[in-house]
Amino acid sequence: MCGLSGEIRFDGSLADTTAVARMVEALVPRGPDGQGQWSAGRVAFGHRRLSVIDLSASGSQPMVDSELGLEAVFNGCIYDYKELRAELEGHGYRFFSTSDTEVLLKGYHHWGVDFVDHLHGMFVVVIHERDTGRIVMARDRLGIKPLYLSETPGRLRFASSLPALLRAGDVDTSIDPVALHHYLTWHAVVPAPRTLLNGVRKLPPATVRVIEADGTSREHRYWEPTYERRPEHSGWSARDWEDAIEEALRVAVRRRLVSDIPVGVLLSGGLDSSLIVGLLAQEGQSDLATYSIGFETVGGHAGDEFRYSDVIAERFGTNHHRIRVSSDELAAALGHAIGAMAEPMVSHDVVAFDLLSERVSQSIRVVQSGQGADEVFAGYHWYPPLADVDREEAVERYAAAFFDRGSEDMRALVGERYALDGDPSLDFVRDHMSRAGAQTAVDAALRLDSEVMLVDDPVKRVDNMSMAWGLEARVPFLDHDLVELAAQCPPELKLADGGKGVLKAIGRRIIPPEVIDRPKGYFPVPAITHLEGKVLGLVKDALSSDAARERALFRPEYVNRLFEDPNSELTPLRGNKLWQLGLLELWLQNHGV
């Protein structure tokens, strides 16, 4: 797990190694264990390293394979790299390291752009062919690892975070009105390739982009699971599905143990992370390090779920760490959390992950985490109402349950220069859900959330906050074999038992029932959902600043109304509408936009 960056020129100029160095400096938190740069004429790569596999200098990056004429920078982890290495050795390849980075280089040389089909893991990799000048960029299937791009005439820059590109300079930082609409409507989700800034885009998940030396490029999506029932499963019972999914989950958890250093678990006390702990215990992991975080009660809202995480820790004898955070510590941490966001993320638990990652990184560098189970196995409340309705009705119900505001509220909120005709966010959902390959409306919603919302909310949140402290977080529920199997599973099995029915059935075999038969919980961060004191002051300062007035994203009368009663208007997901506006301004100002 690392941070990568680079520049490619197409106008005859040399790559700006000074700009790449600035990006590398911005990525230091993602890779605290070392750095490297490489350049050759029109191409320059930069890298910060978090040493997890092959801790020696042989695994350093940028990695150069002079024999094959390839150079690469890579962020992530390839869980089946040992098996792939053995296969490639059988084809005559010789290795100079024990790293997964080198496996990517040899794999690309042997399989070409189809090398991604052989990978189990989370990854972004950028490869340069010395002899042709061709560049190949690839992102993992579920978008767990990010890649941001800034293109201008004659130049392409890339980095693991958007702020790193800003550090390099010469970026169009004007606001993309469509992306702003998505942010304000879709709980801060901005689907790829857009970002809030017109000058920055992001490579979509499951995408390979090939860029020739003259700047022409092409890209293709290499993975797209179908959300339909398959004939070979027609005779399966509910128990058959449970058995198959349990085995796939066991494999996913086992795969994510590959490391040359210890692997722990972020334990929230919910079903998903508890299942990971239970499965690891059954795999023979003893003295497993687990970590939970809790906050002070604010406004009558409880701030921890220790009573559930304690049950799991005691049942499986883990080396458990309770992390308590005061409201003052939370307010003090907001600046760091916002600075660590590659894009503004409104979910109240972002700062919880930031604080949790800070404390966890002091004792361990790799963890497994439970993100993705709700999107893959139908754990959210908006899925049941979509059963047995047509697609158009499903779109309307989805938007009513998830969207932070509708068209009328958007027109009252957004400043005149950013106002749009129509509803691009609703149109995006409608177009996505109407695509072929999803058998029912529930299937279509699960596909949408797994391909879009998951990528730009929970997964991005975990990557940004964990890597801000040099902590690698692995997500077994997003193992692509497991996701493919779950996509084929009948929706009624996932909707059963109040949601995630098939996972709950598996859980009853492994973990205590009191963790399963409980109200659905989230990372509770009351000081963000209930604005008061220092946090409210930060929001007020940001929205009343000269920069905010000049930018004029929001109509003053709308903002003033929210300040009259800061906690009166909540989104359907119980987010604070004022916090959403304040966070955006805080993020823009934090990054000098």
Side-chain angles (χ1 to χ4, degrees):
M1 189 81 79
C2 309
L4 55 81
S5 60
E7 177 176 304
I8 307 121
R9 303 294 302 219
F10 309 105
D11 58 2
S13 302
L14 298 177
D16 186 345
T17 56
T18 303
V20 174
R22 290 196 295 270
M23 290 191 283
V24 170
E25 182 64 24
L27 295 169
V28 167
R30 294 185 69 96
D33 297 331
Q35 74 175 40
Q37 283 189 239
W38 168 89
S39 63
R42 51 180 285 276
V43 180
F45 287 168
H47 192 264
R48 288 294 313 191
R49 185 183 187 195
L50 174 62
S51 300
V52 174
I53 293 173
D54 188 353
L55 310 185
S56 74
S58 297
S60 297
Q61 299 184 50
M63 183 169 282
V64 177
D65 191 321
S66 300
E67 182 178 336
L68 300 183
L70 298 173
E71 299 83 28
V73 281
F74 161 57
N75 170 31
C77 184
I78 307 303
Y79 304 125
D80 60 340
Y81 81 98
K82 292 180 180 179
E83 294 84 352
L84 293 175
R85 176 188 174 115
E87 182 178 350
L88 290 164
E89 285 175 332
H91 291 294
Y93 287 91
R94 297 172 296 176
F95 287 77
F96 54 80
S97 77
T98 59
S99 71
D100 49 350
T101 309
E102 189 181 1
V103 170
L104 290 174
L105 280 171
K106 263 69 170 182
Y108 172 72
H109 185 266
H110 184 67
W111 291 300
V113 294
D114 292 336
F115 78 111
V116 291
D117 297 329
H118 298 259
L119 306 178
H120 283 90
M122 52 182 183
F123 57 88
V124 158
V125 60
V126 180
I127 298 172
H128 173 246
E129 295 183 5
R130 178 189 61 203
D131 297 335
T132 67
R134 181 179 296 124
I135 296 285
V136 175
M137 300 175 166
R139 189 177 181 193
D140 66 69
R141 296 166 180 83
L142 277 303
I144 303 166
K145 294 291 101 186
L147 186 64
Y148 292 89
L149 309 169
S150 175
E151 297 187 63
T152 57
R155 188 192 71 205
L156 169 64
R157 287 177 178 161
F158 62 87
S160 293
S161 78
L162 190 157
L165 289 173
L166 294 177
R167 189 78 64 87
D170 193 24
V171 175
D172 177 3
T173 58
S174 62
I175 300 298
D176 179 335
V178 174
L180 178 64
H181 193 285
H182 290 325
Y183 171 88
L184 293 170
T185 301
W186 207 355
H187 210 58
V189 171
V190 179
R194 294 182 186 274
T195 76
L196 278 162
L197 306 185
N198 278 310
V200 181
R201 292 297 180 253
K202 50 200 176 195
L203 189 71
T207 298
V208 172
R209 182 176 183 184
V210 179
I211 308 164
E212 302 297 345
D214 63 0
T216 59
S217 68
R218 61 189 184 277
E219 67 180 46
H220 71 275
R221 183 172 178 180
Y222 63 88
W223 182 77
E224 189 169 7
T226 58
Y227 284 72
E228 298 173 317
R229 315 295 79 79
R230 297 178 62 168
E232 59 265 38
H233 300 144
S234 60
W236 279 23
S237 66
R239 179 70 188 215
D240 292 330
W241 280 106
E242 293 162 14
D243 291 345
I245 289 171
E246 179 184 342
E247 179 56 27
L249 183 55
R250 286 185 184 277
V251 171
V253 169
R254 191 181 307 132
R255 279 177 178 151
R256 283 154 185 78
L257 289 174
V258 60
S259 175
D260 291 338
I261 56 178
V263 179
V265 178
L266 303 183
L267 177 59
S268 68
L271 168 67
D272 312 326
S273 60
S274 298
L275 253 179
I276 293 172
V277 172
L279 290 169
L280 285 172
Q282 292 186 355
E283 286 291 314
Q285 295 292 305
S286 59
D287 199 33
L288 180 68
T290 55
Y291 303 84
S292 302
I293 192 167
F295 300 88
E296 290 180 3
T297 295
V298 175
H301 300 283
D304 72 69
E305 295 190 336
F306 287 147
R307 62 190 181 279
Y308 297 114
S309 56
D310 286 350
V311 168
I312 297 300
E314 292 168 10
R315 173 67 173 269
F316 296 106
T318 71
N319 178 15
H320 191 55
H321 306 258
R322 273 186 171 198
I323 299 167
R324 295 184 180 275
V325 177
S326 69
S327 294
D328 285 345
E329 288 176 292
L330 176 66
L334 272 176
H336 181 273
I338 293 168
M341 295 177 185
E343 301 171 76
M345 291 176 279
V346 74
S347 294
H348 60 267
D349 56 359
V350 174
V351 69
F353 271 100
D354 183 51
L355 287 161
L356 178 61
S357 298
E358 177 189 13
R359 308 294 175 85
V360 171
S361 67
Q362 295 169 8
S363 60
I364 203 166
R365 305 299 288 276
V366 183
V367 292
Q368 296 198 31
S369 188
Q371 278 66 38
D374 287 306
E375 294 82 0
V376 174
F377 290 101
Y380 292 126
H381 68 273
W382 53 84
Y383 298 126
L386 307 185
D388 303 318
V389 300
D390 62 32
R391 296 301 170 92
E392 186 56 37
E393 177 66 19
V395 169
E396 297 297 331
R397 292 188 181 190
Y398 179 93
F402 195 161
F403 280 7
D404 291 336
R405 51 181 53 82
S407 297
E408 184 176 345
D409 195 33
M410 186 67 73
R411 285 191 292 271
L413 166 62
V414 176
E416 184 175 348
R417 74 180 74 162
Y418 305 104
L420 297 170
D421 294 328
D423 191 332
S425 301
L426 189 63
D427 290 343
F428 184 99
V429 170
R430 181 179 291 110
D431 291 345
H432 199 287
M433 291 184 68
S434 66
R435 282 173 20 200
Q439 189 164 325
T440 70
V442 173
D443 288 311
L446 289 169
R447 179 180 61 183
L448 172 67
D449 285 351
S450 294
E451 294 182 359
V452 181
M453 183 273 281
L454 173 68
V455 176
D456 273 280
D457 188 1
V459 163
K460 181 168 64 181
R461 185 189 327 153
V462 173
D463 172 82
N464 287 187
M465 297 303 110
S466 62
M467 290 308 298
W469 298 100
L471 177 69
E472 176 171 310
R474 300 173 174 182
V475 279
F477 285 103
L478 298 186
D479 183 278
H480 74 265
D481 288 339
L482 177 63
V483 172
E484 289 173 5
L485 183 62
Q488 297 159 23
C489 179
E492 57 269 23
L493 298 182
K494 289 178 276 193
L495 294 174
D497 202 6
K500 291 194 290 194
V502 66
L503 274 191
K504 290 177 179 177
I506 295 167
R508 295 186 197 285
R509 310 174 186 179
I510 300 167
I511 60 177
E514 56 264 43
V515 175
I516 302 169
D517 301 317
R518 52 160 290 195
K520 180 172 176 56
Y522 299 89
F523 248 148
V525 188
I528 302 300
T529 55
H530 186 88
L531 296 181
E532 61 184 30
K534 294 180 180 178
V535 178
L536 179 59
L538 288 171
V539 170
K540 184 171 293 187
D541 289 346
L543 289 172
S544 60
S545 66
D546 292 341
R549 283 194 292 269
E550 183 177 343
R551 205 178 337 262
L553 292 174
F554 314 122
R555 296 181 185 273
E557 60 271 22
Y558 189 103
V559 176
N560 291 337
R561 190 189 79 230
L562 291 181
F563 273 119
E564 290 174 3
D565 190 351
N567 298 296
S568 62
E569 295 197 27
L570 302 179
T571 70
L573 297 182
R574 310 299 296 171
N576 187 296
K577 287 189 175 182
L578 181 58
W579 169 247
Q580 184 184 47
L581 310 188
L583 172 67
L584 177 53
E585 265 301 333
L586 285 165
W587 184 86
L588 291 167
Q589 293 172 29
N590 182 286
H591 295 294
V593 178

